[in-house]
Amino acid sequence: MTANDTRFEYHVVHLKPAFIGGISDETLQTALNTAGREGWELVQILYAQSPDLGMRLVCKRVR
C-alpha cells in the first residue's frame, strides 16, 4: 500500500441552526438520509462550543 492509498474517504456536513432555536430533528434526519443514499455512513457528530455555530456530521465510505 502506498502513501496515497486510502481505504475510506470522508465527508463533513455542516448543519447551521435556525435563527430562533437549534437544529430541528427533521433537518438532521434529512441530512442523514441524503448522506445515506449517497453511500455515506455516519461516524461522528461534532457539536460546536457555541450553539450558534451548529453541528457537523462526519461521514465515511469505502473508496
Side-chain angles (χ1 to χ4, degrees):
M1 193 175 235
T2 66
N4 292 332
D5 291 339
T6 57
R7 286 186 48 193
F8 301 104
E9 58 182 328
Y10 293 88
H11 175 60
V12 177
V13 178
H14 183 205
L15 298 177
K16 296 182 181 180
F19 181 69
I20 298 177
I23 298 168
S24 70
D25 291 341
E26 292 81 20
T27 301
L28 179 57
Q29 185 173 354
T30 299
L32 289 171
N33 286 338
T34 301
R37 279 192 296 276
E38 295 173 359
W40 296 102
E41 176 184 351
L42 179 66
V43 175
Q44 186 174 21
I45 297 177
L46 302 171
Y47 295 96
Q49 291 180 348
S50 169
D52 297 336
L53 299 177
M55 70 172 71
R56 286 180 170 79
L57 309 176
V58 180
C59 304
K60 74 175 183 178
R61 69 179 171 191
V62 177
R63 284 199 158 195

